[in-house]
Every structure is written in C-alpha cells, then in structure tokens.
Amino acid sequence: MEPNYYSIPEALKLLFGSELLREVPSLRTKANSFLRNDLLTFKEELIVHKKSKFIPQTELDTLFNAMLLSAVFADSKEVKAIFSEPKKRQQCAEIVKAMFTRQHSLAGIALSSSEATAFVSCLEGDFDLRAARLPNPFKTLPQATLGNNGSLLRVLLAQAAVLEPMDSILMKYLDGEWLEAKALIYQLDANASGVAELKAEIDKKIHEAEEVDDLLDFMLKL
C-alpha cells in the first residue's frame, strides 16, 4: 500500500501543531532546505501549473529529528551530516551534551531535563535517526524565539561575556573563519575531549575551500 504524502506545511502542522507554524512561518523555509539537500525523499506533482513537493509518511520521523537538530545547528548541511557521518554525529553529540548538562534553560528556552538527557543519549548511541523520533528536550521549539537563521549554539556562544578557548574556536567555525579557528585550536591540549574531532572538521572545511578555489582558478584560465 502506498504511504500517505504530506506537503511541508501539512507535515509541520502534524508534527509540531498549527500554532507554532503560524507563529514561525520560517519553519517551512528550514524544512524545505532538507528537501533541497536531499535529506528527505519526496515526490513532485504538478498542481495548477506549479510543481509541489510532498514527503511520504515514512519521512516524518526524519523531518522531526532534523528540525530538533536544526534548533542547535542552523546549517542544514551540518544537520544532514549528523544523519550520515558517524564522526560528525559524535562531535555534535559532544557539543549538545556540553550545552545541556545540568541546565534547566538555554538562552531563556526551557528544557525538559529528562528529555534532554535522553536526547543526548540517543545521539551518543546507535539510535536510528530515520526510524524513530528523538526525545524532544524543548518545551517550545527554539526557532519560535530565535528565528529561522538562529541556533542555540550560536546564541549561547554570542551571549558569553568571556569566551572560553573552545567557545572562541566554535564561533570562528560557525562564522566560516576556518583558518583562524585552526590557528586557535593549536593553543589547546590535543588530548582534551573533542579537540581532535573539531580539528579534523576544521581541516576538512579548509580542504574543501581550497578545492573550490583551485577549481575557480582553473576555470578562469580556460
């Protein structure tokens, strides 16, 4: 039997309620970014001379988890990587664990302590992000107050009065200043938790940027 299909607004309303969807229309933009980067499978139908996209019911869990993760990590590519790259998932799990540990609220957003603990445990373990829904640690989705382009990680780092060295590096990483982030990370103990993983991720970003620059130089010479 063919599964039911939902438009993005229908799916978000089903997962998070119509009130939140009315309050935060930019949620649709974020959800649609997961169609564009192929995290979600979908079908297209021509409706009144316009192609519309619909996701199957089997993708609702994936969408739910992607929206929760995007509350912390605003970059849709980063969220997609959490689903498919074990090292990236573990790195992000460490970040979330550091954020949620012994916290009752983050940037004024209330947390459910038991759900926050379960959320971290699922990310650290072998929980299938496409087969079931993560525990929701947020009493209200952070996007309701942060907006579509915000993230808890970004806000928390920006709000810190005095940044710790790792926070400074994360800020540079989030801003795409990877060479500066790499310079800073050499000041940290290479054996400290999360340092090696973050350095590897920064090196990867720098390598990707260099490849793009090389390609542009090559094309300009043609």
Side-chain angles (χ1 to χ4, degrees), residues 55-220:
I55 64 171
Q57 186 170 353
T58 51
E59 289 285 59
L60 291 178
D61 290 344
T62 298
L63 176 59
F64 181 85
N65 294 335
M67 296 304 292
L68 290 190
L69 291 167
S70 70
V72 182
F73 306 101
D75 188 340
S76 298
K77 291 185 292 185
E78 190 167 25
V79 172
K80 181 181 179 181
I82 296 172
F83 279 77
S84 58
E85 300 175 20
K87 286 186 178 180
K88 182 66 175 177
R89 174 168 168 167
Q90 286 304 310
Q91 176 201 338
C92 291
E94 288 293 325
I95 292 172
V96 172
K97 186 175 183 179
M99 291 172 60
F100 286 3
T101 300
R102 295 185 298 276
Q103 297 289 330
H104 299 292
S105 67
L106 296 168
I109 295 163
L111 295 176
S112 168
S113 57
S114 60
E115 296 296 299
T117 300
F119 182 86
V120 171
S121 296
C122 287
L123 277 183
E124 289 182 317
D126 56 1
F127 183 89
D128 189 341
L129 292 171
R130 291 187 177 277
R133 297 179 193 178
L134 286 165
N136 186 354
F138 309 114
K139 294 186 177 178
T140 301
L141 269 187
Q143 289 95 324
T145 55
L146 300 179
N148 188 55
N149 294 319
S151 74
L152 273 176
L153 180 58
R154 192 83 172 74
V155 171
L156 290 173
L157 292 174
Q159 284 182 345
V162 179
L163 293 177
E164 294 293 330
M166 182 63 88
D167 293 335
S168 299
I169 295 165
L170 287 170
M171 281 290 285
K172 295 295 184 184
Y173 174 83
L174 291 171
D175 288 338
E177 299 172 357
W178 301 307
L179 290 175
E180 293 182 34
K182 184 174 183 177
L184 287 172
I185 206 165
Y186 280 110
Q187 300 174 18
L188 301 183
D189 181 356
N191 297 317
S193 176
V195 171
E197 292 81 2
L198 183 55
K199 181 181 180 300
E201 184 66 20
I202 291 169
D203 287 340
K204 178 182 174 184
K205 292 291 187 183
I206 292 172
H207 179 68
E208 290 173 350
E210 289 173 343
E211 286 186 331
V212 171
D213 287 342
D214 290 343
L215 178 59
L216 290 175
D217 289 342
F218 174 77
M219 293 178 69
L220 288 173

